[in-house]
Amino acid sequence: MEEIIWVMVLLSAGIVVGVLTLRFLARSRAAHAFYDVMRIESGCLITFYHGLCGTAEERYTLDEIRVVRFFCRSTKGNLTFMGEMQIVKKDGQKSRRYVYDGSTYVKKRIWRTSRALLLRTTEQIAEELALHGIRSELDPLMYRE
């Protein structure tokens, strides 16, 4: 019985240390970096996937990208809207869908994103891509009322 208690104490301590480490790593980045879905630097498109285990980053060279597609989805009852960005390479391969919301536009946590704010966010990302010669396509359902 005593061994089980020690195992539970050590397991709990490990979980607490892991959570505190993740919080420290998340806060050690620049204040706005957590809300970014992508960045373009030195001829590469760098995309970010924010998950429970931290932030994963993937790189695509600008000349291998054919198009970036944007999609819209909403929660049940249209309480909040989320955008999805997918990269299609010239060889036909598709990336995962990177999820973003109005926090990307405002650079602070927003709990509910309206359709209008999501459209502004998507247009801002598409304009940034167009500055670097990357074509983008918007899902026509994004403009559906």
Side-chain angles (χ1 to χ4, degrees), residues 70-131:
F70 293 99
F71 305 94
C72 176
R73 66 179 175 169
S74 65
T75 59
K76 188 174 182 178
N78 293 340
L79 292 176
T80 187
F81 292 87
M82 294 171 281
E84 295 178 343
M85 179 180 83
Q86 185 179 42
I87 298 165
V88 180
K89 295 166 62 174
K90 290 183 179 173
D91 61 2
Q93 291 183 353
K94 297 177 184 176
S95 71
R96 72 172 75 196
R97 289 189 177 192
Y98 300 96
V99 178
Y100 62 94
D101 63 357
S103 302
T104 303
Y105 183 79
V106 181
K107 302 296 186 208
K108 67 178 185 176
R109 168 52 75 200
I110 294 180
W111 295 104
R112 291 182 64 191
T113 301
S114 65
R115 184 186 295 274
L117 179 58
L118 182 65
L119 288 174
R120 275 188 296 215
T121 305
T122 304
E123 288 168 359
Q124 178 192 33
I125 295 171
E127 287 172 4
E128 186 175 348
L129 291 170
L131 288 175

Side-chain angles (χ1 to χ4, degrees), residues 52-68:
L52 292 176
C53 297
T55 302
E57 134 181 343
E58 295 178 2
R59 294 178 177 264
Y60 303 91
T61 59
L62 296 180
D63 59 348
E64 72 178 351
I65 299 172
R66 182 176 65 186
V67 67
V68 177

Side-chain angles (χ1 to χ4, degrees), residues 1-11:
M1 183 70 179
E2 198 172 291
E3 294 170 351
I4 294 174
I5 292 173
W6 277 109
V7 169
M8 295 301 287
V9 167
L10 290 175
L11 184 64

